Coordinates of all heavy atoms in Angstrom, one line a residue:
M1 N 0.9 -1.2 0.0 CA 0.0 -0.1 0.0 C 0.9 1.2 0.0 O 1.8 1.4 0.8 CB -0.9 0.0 1.2 CG -1.8 1.2 1.2 SD -2.7 1.4 2.8 CE -3.9 0.1 2.8
A2 N 0.6 2.1 -0.9 CA 1.4 3.4 -1.0 C 1.0 4.4 0.1 O -0.2 4.6 0.4 CB 1.2 4.0 -2.4
A3 N 2.0 4.9 0.7 CA 1.7 5.9 1.8 C 1.5 7.3 1.2 O 2.1 7.7 0.2 CB 2.8 5.9 2.8
V4 N 0.6 8.1 1.8 CA 0.4 9.5 1.3 C 1.4 10.4 2.0 O 1.7 10.2 3.3 CB -1.0 9.9 1.7 CG1 -1.3 11.4 1.3 CG2 -2.1 9.0 1.1
S5 N 2.0 11.2 1.3 CA 3.1 12.1 1.8 C 2.4 13.1 2.8 O 1.2 13.4 2.7 CB 3.8 12.8 0.7 OG 3.0 13.8 0.1
M6 N 3.2 13.6 3.7 CA 2.7 14.5 4.6 C 2.2 15.8 4.0 O 1.2 16.4 4.5 CB 3.8 14.8 5.7 CG 3.2 15.7 6.8 SD 4.5 15.8 8.2 CE 3.7 16.9 9.3
E7 N 2.9 16.3 3.0 CA 2.5 17.5 2.3 C 1.2 17.3 1.8 O 0.3 18.3 1.8 CB 3.6 17.8 1.3 CG 4.9 18.3 1.8 CD 5.7 17.1 2.2 OE1 5.6 16.0 1.7 OE2 6.7 17.3 2.9
H8 N 0.9 16.2 1.0 CA -0.4 16.1 0.4 C -1.5 16.0 1.4 O -2.6 16.5 1.2 CB -0.4 14.9 -0.5 CG 0.5 15.0 -1.7 ND1 1.5 14.2 -2.0 CD2 0.4 15.9 -2.8 CE1 2.1 14.6 -3.2 NE2 1.4 15.6 -3.7
G9 N -1.3 15.2 2.5 CA -2.3 15.2 3.6 C -2.6 16.5 4.2 O -3.7 16.8 4.4
L10 N -1.6 17.3 4.5 CA -1.8 18.6 5.1 C -2.4 19.5 4.1 O -3.2 20.4 4.5 CB -0.5 19.1 5.6 CG 0.0 18.4 6.8 CD1 1.4 19.0 7.3 CD2 -0.9 18.4 7.9
I11 N -2.1 19.4 2.8 CA -2.8 20.3 1.8 C -4.3 20.0 1.8 O -5.1 20.8 1.7 CB -2.1 20.1 0.5 CG1 -0.7 20.9 0.5 CG2 -3.0 20.7 -0.6 CD1 0.1 20.6 -0.7
L12 N -4.6 18.6 1.7 CA -6.0 18.3 1.7 C -6.7 18.7 3.0 O -7.8 19.2 2.9 CB -6.1 16.7 1.6 CG -7.5 16.2 1.7 CD1 -8.3 16.7 0.5 CD2 -7.5 14.7 1.7
A13 N -6.0 18.6 4.2 CA -6.6 19.1 5.4 C -6.9 20.6 5.3 O -7.9 21.1 5.8 CB -5.7 18.7 6.6
G14 N -5.9 21.3 4.8 CA -6.1 22.8 4.6 C -7.2 23.2 3.8 O -7.9 24.1 4.0
V15 N -7.3 22.5 2.6 CA -8.4 22.7 1.7 C -9.8 22.5 2.3 O -10.7 23.2 2.2 CB -8.2 21.9 0.4 CG1 -9.5 21.9 -0.5 CG2 -7.0 22.5 -0.4
L16 N -9.8 21.3 3.0 CA -11.1 21.0 3.7 C -11.5 22.0 4.8 O -12.6 22.4 4.9 CB -11.0 19.6 4.3 CG -11.1 18.4 3.3 CD1 -10.9 17.1 4.1 CD2 -12.4 18.4 2.6
F17 N -10.5 22.4 5.6 CA -10.7 23.5 6.5 C -11.2 24.8 5.9 O -12.1 25.4 6.4 CB -9.5 23.7 7.4 CG -9.7 24.4 8.6 CD1 -10.1 23.8 9.8 CD2 -9.5 25.8 8.7 CE1 -10.3 24.5 11.0 CE2 -9.8 26.5 9.8 CZ -10.2 25.9 11.0
A18 N -10.5 25.2 4.8 CA -10.9 26.4 4.2 C -12.3 26.3 3.6 O -13.1 27.3 3.7 CB -10.0 26.8 3.0
L19 N -12.7 25.2 3.1 CA -14.1 24.9 2.6 C -15.1 25.0 3.7 O -16.2 25.6 3.6 CB -14.3 23.7 1.8 CG -13.6 23.6 0.5 CD1 -13.7 22.2 0.0 CD2 -14.3 24.5 -0.5
G20 N -14.8 24.5 4.9 CA -15.6 24.5 6.0 C -15.8 26.0 6.5 O -16.8 26.4 6.9
L21 N -14.6 26.7 6.5 CA -14.7 28.1 7.0 C -15.5 29.0 6.1 O -16.3 29.8 6.5 CB -13.2 28.6 7.1 CG -13.1 30.1 7.6 CD1 -13.6 30.2 9.1 CD2 -11.7 30.4 7.6
I22 N -15.4 28.7 4.8 CA -16.2 29.5 3.8 C -17.6 29.2 4.0 O -18.5 30.1 3.9 CB -15.7 29.2 2.3 CG1 -14.3 29.8 2.1 CG2 -16.7 29.7 1.3 CD1 -13.7 29.4 0.8
G23 N -18.0 27.9 4.3 CA -19.4 27.5 4.5 C -19.9 28.2 5.7 O -21.1 28.5 5.8
V24 N -19.2 28.3 6.8 CA -19.6 29.0 8.0 C -19.9 30.5 7.7 O -20.8 31.0 8.2 CB -18.6 28.8 9.1 CG1 -18.9 29.7 10.3 CG2 -18.6 27.3 9.6
L25 N -19.0 31.1 7.0 CA -19.1 32.5 6.8 C -20.1 32.9 5.7 O -20.7 34.0 5.8 CB -17.7 33.1 6.3 CG -16.6 33.0 7.3 CD1 -15.3 33.4 6.7 CD2 -16.9 33.8 8.6
V26 N -20.4 32.1 4.7 CA -21.3 32.4 3.6 C -22.7 32.0 4.0 O -23.7 32.8 3.7 CB -20.8 31.8 2.3 CG1 -21.8 31.9 1.2 CG2 -19.5 32.4 1.9
R27 N -22.9 30.9 4.5 CA -24.3 30.4 4.7 C -25.0 31.0 5.9 O -24.3 31.3 6.9 CB -24.3 28.8 4.9 CG -23.9 28.1 3.7 CD -24.9 28.2 2.7 NE -24.5 27.2 1.6 CZ -25.4 26.7 0.7 NH1 -26.7 27.1 0.8 NH2 -25.1 25.9 -0.2
R28 N -26.3 31.2 5.8 CA -27.1 31.7 7.0 C -28.0 30.7 7.6 O -28.6 30.9 8.6 CB -27.9 32.9 6.5 CG -27.2 34.1 6.0 CD -26.0 34.6 6.9 NE -26.5 34.9 8.2 CZ -25.6 35.1 9.2 NH1 -24.3 34.9 9.0 NH2 -26.1 35.4 10.4
N29 N -28.0 29.5 6.9 CA -28.9 28.4 7.4 C -28.1 27.7 8.5 O -26.9 27.3 8.3 CB -29.2 27.5 6.4 CG -30.2 26.4 6.8 OD1 -30.3 26.1 7.9 ND2 -31.0 25.9 5.8
I30 N -28.7 27.5 9.7 CA -27.9 26.9 10.8 C -27.5 25.5 10.6 O -26.4 25.0 11.1 CB -28.6 27.1 12.1 CG1 -27.8 26.8 13.3 CG2 -29.9 26.2 12.2 CD1 -28.3 27.3 14.6
I31 N -28.3 24.7 9.9 CA -27.9 23.3 9.5 C -26.6 23.2 8.6 O -25.7 22.5 8.9 CB -29.0 22.6 8.9 CG1 -30.2 22.4 9.9 CG2 -28.6 21.2 8.4 CD1 -31.4 21.7 9.5
F32 N -26.5 24.1 7.7 CA -25.4 24.2 6.8 C -24.2 24.7 7.6 O -23.0 24.2 7.4 CB -25.6 25.1 5.6 CG -26.4 24.5 4.5 CD1 -27.7 24.9 4.3 CD2 -26.0 23.3 3.9 CE1 -28.5 24.4 3.4 CE2 -26.8 22.7 2.9 CZ -28.1 23.2 2.6
M33 N -24.4 25.6 8.5 CA -23.2 26.0 9.4 C -22.7 24.9 10.3 O -21.6 24.8 10.4 CB -23.7 27.2 10.2 CG -23.9 28.5 9.3 SD -24.6 29.8 10.4 CE -23.1 30.4 11.2
L34 N -23.6 24.2 10.8 CA -23.1 23.0 11.6 C -22.4 21.9 10.8 O -21.4 21.4 11.3 CB -24.4 22.3 12.3 CG -25.0 23.2 13.5 CD1 -26.3 22.5 13.9 CD2 -24.1 23.4 14.6
M35 N -22.9 21.7 9.6 CA -22.2 20.8 8.7 C -20.8 21.4 8.4 O -19.8 20.6 8.3 CB -23.0 20.6 7.5 CG -24.2 19.7 7.7 SD -25.4 19.5 6.3 CE -24.3 19.2 4.9
S36 N -20.7 22.6 8.2 CA -19.4 23.2 7.8 C -18.5 23.1 9.0 O -17.2 22.9 8.8 CB -19.5 24.7 7.4 OG -20.3 24.8 6.2
I37 N -19.0 23.3 10.2 CA -18.1 23.1 11.4 C -17.6 21.7 11.5 O -16.5 21.4 11.9 CB -18.9 23.5 12.7 CG1 -19.1 25.0 12.7 CG2 -18.2 23.2 13.9 CD1 -20.0 25.6 13.8
E38 N -18.4 20.7 11.2 CA -18.1 19.3 11.1 C -17.0 19.1 10.1 O -16.0 18.3 10.4 CB -19.3 18.4 10.8 CG -20.3 18.4 11.9 CD -19.8 17.6 13.1 OE1 -19.0 16.7 13.0 OE2 -20.3 18.0 14.2
V39 N -17.1 19.7 9.0 CA -16.0 19.6 8.0 C -14.7 20.1 8.5 O -13.6 19.6 8.3 CB -16.4 20.2 6.6 CG1 -15.2 20.3 5.7 CG2 -17.5 19.5 6.0
M40 N -14.8 21.3 9.2 CA -13.5 21.9 9.8 C -12.9 20.9 10.9 O -11.7 20.8 11.0 CB -13.9 23.2 10.3 CG -14.3 24.3 9.3 SD -14.9 25.8 10.0 CE -13.6 26.3 11.0
L41 N -13.8 20.4 11.7 CA -13.3 19.4 12.8 C -12.6 18.2 12.2 O -11.6 17.8 12.6 CB -14.5 19.0 13.7 CG -14.9 20.1 14.7 CD1 -16.1 19.6 15.4 CD2 -13.8 20.4 15.7
N42 N -13.2 17.7 11.1 CA -12.7 16.5 10.4 C -11.3 16.9 9.7 O -10.4 16.0 9.7 CB -13.7 15.9 9.4 CG -14.7 15.1 10.1 OD1 -14.5 14.5 11.1 ND2 -15.9 15.1 9.5
A43 N -11.3 18.1 9.2 CA -10.0 18.5 8.6 C -8.9 18.6 9.6 O -7.7 18.2 9.3 CB -10.2 19.9 7.9
S44 N -9.2 19.1 10.7 CA -8.2 19.2 11.8 C -7.8 17.8 12.3 O -6.6 17.5 12.6 CB -8.6 20.1 13.0 OG -9.7 19.5 13.6
G45 N -8.8 16.9 12.3 CA -8.5 15.5 12.7 C -7.6 14.8 11.7 O -6.7 14.1 12.0
L46 N -7.9 15.1 10.4 CA -7.0 14.5 9.3 C -5.6 15.1 9.4 O -4.6 14.3 9.3 CB -7.6 15.0 8.0 CG -6.8 14.5 6.7 CD1 -6.7 13.0 6.7 CD2 -7.4 15.1 5.6
A47 N -5.4 16.3 9.8 CA -4.1 16.9 10.0 C -3.4 16.2 11.1 O -2.2 15.9 11.0 CB -4.2 18.4 10.3
F48 N -4.1 15.9 12.2 CA -3.4 15.2 13.4 C -3.0 13.8 12.9 O -1.9 13.3 13.3 CB -4.4 15.2 14.5 CG -4.3 16.4 15.4 CD1 -5.5 17.2 15.6 CD2 -3.2 16.7 16.1 CE1 -5.5 18.3 16.4 CE2 -3.1 17.8 16.9 CZ -4.3 18.6 17.0
V49 N -3.9 13.1 12.2 CA -3.6 11.7 11.9 C -2.4 11.7 10.9 O -1.5 10.8 11.0 CB -4.8 11.0 11.2 CG1 -4.5 9.7 10.6 CG2 -5.9 10.8 12.3
V50 N -2.4 12.6 9.9 CA -1.2 12.7 9.0 C 0.0 12.9 9.7 O 1.1 12.3 9.4 CB -1.5 13.7 7.8 CG1 -0.3 14.0 7.0 CG2 -2.7 13.2 6.9
A51 N 0.1 13.9 10.6 CA 1.3 14.2 11.3 C 1.7 13.0 12.2 O 2.9 12.8 12.3 CB 1.1 15.5 12.2
G52 N 0.8 12.4 12.9 CA 1.1 11.3 13.7 C 1.7 10.1 12.9 O 2.6 9.4 13.3
S53 N 1.1 9.9 11.7 CA 1.6 8.8 10.9 C 3.0 9.1 10.3 O 3.9 8.2 10.2 CB 0.7 8.4 9.7 OG 0.7 9.4 8.8
N54 N 3.3 10.4 10.1 CA 4.6 10.8 9.6 C 5.6 10.6 10.6 O 6.7 10.2 10.3 CB 4.5 12.3 9.1 CG 5.8 12.7 8.5 OD1 6.5 12.0 7.7 ND2 6.3 13.9 8.9
W55 N 5.3 10.9 11.9 CA 6.2 10.8 13.0 C 6.3 9.4 13.6 O 7.1 9.1 14.5 CB 5.9 11.8 14.1 CG 6.2 13.2 13.6 CD1 7.2 13.6 12.8 CD2 5.4 14.4 13.9 NE1 7.1 15.0 12.6 CE2 6.0 15.4 13.2 CE3 4.3 14.6 14.6 CZ2 5.5 16.7 13.3 CZ3 3.8 15.9 14.7 CH2 4.4 16.9 14.1
G56 N 5.4 8.5 13.2 CA 5.3 7.1 13.7 C 4.8 7.0 15.1 O 5.2 6.0 15.8
T57 N 3.9 7.9 15.6 CA 3.4 7.8 16.8 C 1.8 7.7 16.7 O 1.2 7.9 15.7 CB 3.7 9.0 17.7 OG1 3.1 10.2 17.1 CG2 5.2 9.2 17.8
A58 N 1.2 7.3 17.8 CA -0.2 7.1 17.8 C -1.0 8.4 18.4 O -2.1 8.4 18.6 CB -0.7 5.9 18.7
D59 N -0.2 9.5 18.6 CA -0.7 10.7 19.1 C -1.8 11.2 18.2 O -2.8 11.8 18.7 CB 0.3 11.7 19.4 CG 1.4 11.3 20.4 OD1 1.0 10.4 21.2 OD2 2.5 11.8 20.4
G60 N -1.6 11.1 16.9 CA -2.7 11.7 15.9 C -4.0 11.0 16.1 O -5.0 11.6 16.1
Q61 N -4.0 9.7 16.2 CA -5.2 8.9 16.4 C -5.9 9.2 17.7 O -7.1 9.3 17.8 CB -4.9 7.4 16.3 CG -4.7 6.9 14.8 CD -3.2 6.9 14.6 OE1 -2.4 7.1 15.4 NE2 -2.8 6.5 13.3
V62 N -5.1 9.4 18.8 CA -5.7 9.8 20.1 C -6.4 11.1 20.0 O -7.5 11.3 20.5 CB -4.6 9.7 21.2 CG1 -5.2 10.3 22.5 CG2 -4.1 8.3 21.4
M63 N -5.7 12.1 19.3 CA -6.3 13.4 19.2 C -7.5 13.3 18.3 O -8.5 14.1 18.5 CB -5.3 14.4 18.6 CG -4.3 14.8 19.6 SD -4.9 15.5 21.1 CE -5.6 17.0 20.5
F64 N -7.5 12.5 17.3 CA -8.7 12.4 16.5 C -9.9 11.8 17.2 O -11.1 12.2 17.0 CB -8.4 11.5 15.2 CG -9.5 11.4 14.2 CD1 -9.8 12.6 13.4 CD2 -10.3 10.3 14.1 CE1 -10.8 12.6 12.5 CE2 -11.3 10.3 13.1 CZ -11.5 11.4 12.4
I65 N -9.6 10.9 18.2 CA -10.7 10.4 19.1 C -11.2 11.5 19.9 O -12.5 11.7 20.0 CB -10.2 9.3 19.9 CG1 -10.0 8.0 19.0 CG2 -11.2 8.9 21.0 CD1 -9.3 6.8 19.7
F66 N -10.5 12.4 20.4 CA -11.0 13.6 21.2 C -11.7 14.5 20.2 O -12.8 15.0 20.7 CB -9.8 14.3 21.8 CG -9.2 13.6 23.0 CD1 -7.8 13.6 23.1 CD2 -10.0 13.0 23.9 CE1 -7.2 12.9 24.2 CE2 -9.4 12.3 25.0 CZ -8.0 12.3 25.1
I67 N -11.3 14.7 19.0 CA -12.0 15.5 18.1 C -13.4 14.9 17.7 O -14.4 15.6 17.7 CB -11.2 15.8 16.8 CG1 -10.0 16.7 17.1 CG2 -12.0 16.4 15.7 CD1 -9.0 16.8 16.0
L68 N -13.5 13.6 17.6 CA -14.7 13.0 17.3 C -15.7 13.1 18.5 O -16.9 13.3 18.3 CB -14.5 11.4 17.0 CG -14.0 11.1 15.6 CD1 -13.8 9.6 15.5 CD2 -14.9 11.6 14.6
T69 N -15.1 13.0 19.7 CA -16.0 13.2 20.9 C -16.5 14.6 21.0 O -17.7 14.8 21.2 CB -15.1 12.9 22.2 OG1 -14.5 11.6 22.1 CG2 -16.0 13.0 23.4
M70 N -15.7 15.6 20.7 CA -16.1 17.0 20.6 C -17.1 17.2 19.5 O -18.1 18.0 19.7 CB -14.9 17.9 20.4 CG -15.2 19.4 20.6 SD -13.9 20.4 20.5 CE -12.9 19.9 19.1
A71 N -17.0 16.5 18.4 CA -17.9 16.7 17.3 C -19.3 16.1 17.7 O -20.3 16.7 17.3 CB -17.4 16.1 16.1
A72 N -19.3 15.0 18.4 CA -20.6 14.4 18.8 C -21.2 15.3 19.8 O -22.5 15.5 19.8 CB -20.3 13.1 19.5
A73 N -20.5 15.9 20.8 CA -21.1 16.9 21.7 C -21.6 18.1 20.9 O -22.7 18.6 21.3 CB -20.1 17.4 22.7
E74 N -20.9 18.6 19.9 CA -21.4 19.8 19.1 C -22.7 19.4 18.4 O -23.5 20.2 18.3 CB -20.2 20.2 18.2 CG -20.6 21.3 17.3 CD -20.9 21.0 15.9 OE1 -20.5 19.9 15.4 OE2 -21.7 21.7 15.3
V75 N -22.7 18.2 17.9 CA -24.0 17.8 17.2 C -25.2 17.8 18.1 O -26.3 18.3 17.8 CB -23.8 16.5 16.5 CG1 -25.1 15.9 16.0 CG2 -22.8 16.6 15.3
A76 N -25.0 17.3 19.3 CA -26.1 17.2 20.3 C -26.6 18.6 20.6 O -27.7 18.9 20.6 CB -25.6 16.4 21.5
V77 N -25.6 19.5 21.1 CA -26.0 20.8 21.3 C -26.6 21.6 20.1 O -27.6 22.3 20.3 CB -24.8 21.6 22.0 CG1 -25.1 23.1 22.2 CG2 -24.4 21.0 23.2
G78 N -26.0 21.4 19.0 CA -26.4 22.1 17.8 C -27.8 21.7 17.4 O -28.7 22.5 17.0
L79 N -28.2 20.4 17.5 CA -29.5 19.9 17.2 C -30.5 20.4 18.1 O -31.7 20.7 17.7 CB -29.6 18.4 17.1 CG -28.9 17.8 15.8 CD1 -28.9 16.3 15.8 CD2 -29.6 18.4 14.6
A80 N -30.2 20.5 19.4 CA -31.1 21.1 20.4 C -31.4 22.6 20.1 O -32.5 23.0 20.1 CB -30.5 21.0 21.8
L81 N -30.4 23.3 19.7 CA -30.6 24.7 19.3 C -31.5 24.8 18.0 O -32.3 25.7 17.9 CB -29.2 25.4 19.1 CG -28.4 25.7 20.3 CD1 -27.1 26.3 20.0 CD2 -29.2 26.7 21.1
V82 N -31.2 23.9 17.1 CA -32.0 23.9 15.8 C -33.5 23.7 16.1 O -34.4 24.4 15.6 CB -31.4 22.9 14.8 CG1 -32.4 22.7 13.7 CG2 -30.1 23.4 14.2
L83 N -33.7 22.7 17.0 CA -35.1 22.4 17.3 C -35.8 23.6 18.1 O -36.9 23.9 17.7 CB -35.2 21.2 18.2 CG -34.9 19.8 17.5 CD1 -34.9 18.7 18.5 CD2 -36.0 19.6 16.5
Q84 N -35.1 24.2 19.0 CA -35.6 25.4 19.7 C -35.9 26.5 18.7 O -36.9 27.2 18.8 CB -34.7 25.8 20.8 CG -34.9 25.0 22.1 CD -36.3 25.2 22.7 OE1 -37.1 24.3 22.5 NE2 -36.5 26.3 23.3
L85 N -34.9 26.8 17.9 CA -35.0 27.8 16.8 C -36.2 27.7 15.9 O -37.0 28.6 15.7 CB -33.8 28.0 16.1 CG -33.6 29.2 15.2 CD1 -33.5 30.4 15.9 CD2 -32.4 29.0 14.3
Y86 N -36.4 26.4 15.5 CA -37.5 26.1 14.5 C -38.8 26.1 15.2 O -39.8 26.7 14.7 CB -37.3 24.8 13.9 CG -38.3 24.5 12.8 CD1 -38.2 25.2 11.5 CD2 -39.3 23.7 13.0 CE1 -39.1 25.0 10.6 CE2 -40.3 23.4 12.0 CZ -40.2 24.1 10.8 OH -41.1 23.9 9.8
R87 N -38.9 25.7 16.5 CA -40.2 25.7 17.2 C -40.7 27.2 17.5 O -41.8 27.4 17.4 CB -40.0 25.0 18.6 CG -40.1 23.5 18.5 CD -40.1 22.9 19.9 NE -39.9 21.4 19.8 CZ -39.6 20.7 20.7 NH1 -39.2 21.2 22.0 NH2 -39.5 19.4 20.6
R88 N -39.8 28.0 17.9 CA -40.1 29.4 18.2 C -40.4 30.3 17.0 O -41.3 31.1 17.0 CB -39.0 30.0 19.0 CG -39.0 29.4 20.5 CD -38.1 30.2 21.4 NE -38.0 29.7 22.6 CZ -37.5 30.1 23.7 NH1 -36.9 31.3 23.6 NH2 -37.4 29.5 24.8
F89 N -39.5 30.2 16.0 CA -39.6 31.2 14.9 C -40.0 30.6 13.5 O -40.1 31.3 12.6 CB -38.2 31.9 14.7 CG -37.8 32.6 16.0 CD1 -36.7 32.1 16.7 CD2 -38.5 33.7 16.4 CE1 -36.4 32.8 17.9 CE2 -38.1 34.4 17.6 CZ -37.0 33.9 18.3
K90 N -40.1 29.3 13.5 CA -40.5 28.6 12.2 C -39.5 28.9 11.1 O -39.9 28.9 9.9 CB -41.9 28.9 11.8 CG -43.0 28.6 12.8 CD -43.1 27.1 13.0 CE -44.2 26.8 14.0 NZ -44.0 25.7 14.9
T91 N -38.2 29.1 11.4 CA -37.2 29.3 10.4 C -35.9 28.8 11.0 O -35.7 28.6 12.2 CB -37.1 30.7 10.1 OG1 -36.1 31.0 9.0 CG2 -36.7 31.6 11.3
L92 N -34.9 28.5 10.1 CA -33.6 28.1 10.5 C -32.5 29.1 10.1 O -31.4 28.8 10.1 CB -33.3 26.8 9.8 CG -34.1 25.6 10.3 CD1 -33.7 24.3 9.5 CD2 -34.0 25.3 11.7
D93 N -33.0 30.4 10.0 CA -32.1 31.5 9.7 C -31.4 31.8 11.0 O -32.0 31.9 12.1 CB -32.9 32.7 9.1 CG -31.9 33.8 8.6 OD1 -30.8 33.5 8.5 OD2 -32.4 34.9 8.5
V94 N -30.1 32.0 10.9 CA -29.3 32.3 12.1 C -29.6 33.7 12.7 O -29.5 33.9 13.9 CB -27.8 32.2 11.7 CG1 -26.9 32.6 12.9 CG2 -27.4 30.8 11.3
D95 N -30.0 34.6 11.8 CA -30.3 36.0 12.4 C -31.5 36.0 13.3 O -31.7 36.8 14.2 CB -30.7 36.9 11.2 CG -29.4 37.1 10.3 OD1 -28.3 37.2 10.9 OD2 -29.5 37.4 9.1
A96 N -32.4 35.0 13.2 CA -33.5 34.8 14.1 C -33.1 34.4 15.5 O -33.8 34.7 16.5 CB -34.6 33.8 13.5
A97 N -31.9 33.9 15.6 CA -31.4 33.4 16.9 C -31.1 34.6 17.8 O -31.0 34.4 19.0 CB -30.1 32.5 16.7
S98 N -30.8 35.8 17.2 CA -30.5 36.9 18.0 C -31.7 37.4 18.8 O -31.6 38.2 19.7 CB -30.0 38.1 17.1 OG -30.9 38.5 16.2
K99 N -32.9 36.9 18.4 CA -34.1 37.3 19.1 C -34.4 36.5 20.3 O -35.3 36.8 21.1 CB -35.3 37.3 18.1 CG -35.2 38.2 17.0 CD -36.3 38.0 16.0 CE -36.1 38.8 14.8 NZ -37.1 38.5 13.7
M100 N -33.7 35.3 20.4 CA -33.9 34.4 21.5 C -33.3 35.0 22.8 O -32.3 35.7 22.8 CB -33.3 33.1 21.3 CG -33.9 32.3 20.1 SD -33.2 30.7 19.8 CE -33.8 29.8 21.2
R101 N -34.0 34.7 23.9 CA -33.5 35.2 25.3 C -33.4 34.0 26.1 O -34.2 33.0 26.1 CB -34.5 36.1 25.9 CG -34.5 37.5 25.1 CD -35.4 38.4 25.8 NE -36.1 39.2 24.8 CZ -37.0 40.0 25.1 NH1 -37.5 40.1 26.3 NH2 -37.6 40.6 24.1
G102 N -32.4 34.0 26.9 CA -32.2 32.8 27.8 C -32.6 33.1 29.1 O -32.9 32.8 30.1

């Protein structure tokens, strides 16, 4: 099996992170924003795994497990916010969230 070079892996991670960042900045729909944040988290996890495999340690995989755990927590909190936003305002526009009070 051919190994992927560190440069190619980090370039791919950087492109994925940039696409996620563009998605967060451009979209106003909260579901698309949450999906873009997931892409950004996976890009950072890919960078950790590529760096760990280049150095021959398991640190990259351990960090990726922490990133997956954080992504699962983000999804749970994000879906709760989406449900509350849709119940109150019947829209998923992020600008409507500024009207919510805690």
Side-chain angles (χ1 to χ4, degrees):
M1 182 191 290
V4 177
S5 68
M6 185 170 178
E7 291 82 19
H8 289 121
L10 291 179
I11 288 172
L12 177 62
V15 167
L16 285 173
F17 193 87
L19 286 174
L21 184 62
I22 289 169
V24 167
L25 295 176
V26 171
R27 295 289 188 159
R28 300 308 305 164
N29 189 334
I30 195 165
I31 293 178
F32 285 112
M33 292 176 75
L34 289 173
M35 288 172 44
S36 298
I37 290 172
E38 290 292 326
V39 170
M40 292 169 60
L41 286 171
N42 284 327
S44 63
L46 176 64
F48 276 118
V49 169
V50 167
S53 70
N54 184 45
W55 294 321
T57 63
D59 295 342
Q61 285 94 2
V62 171
M63 287 304 296
F64 188 70
I65 290 172
F66 287 138
I67 289 171
L68 284 178
T69 305
M70 185 173 49
E74 181 257 335
V75 166
V77 171
L79 286 178
L81 287 173
V82 166
L83 287 174
Q84 279 296 103
L85 187 68
Y86 188 73
R87 280 185 188 162
R88 289 189 184 188
F89 301 111
K90 301 296 185 216
T91 184
L92 293 178
D93 190 17
V94 177
D95 293 328
S98 64
K99 299 174 188 172
M100 292 180 78
R101 290 184 218 172

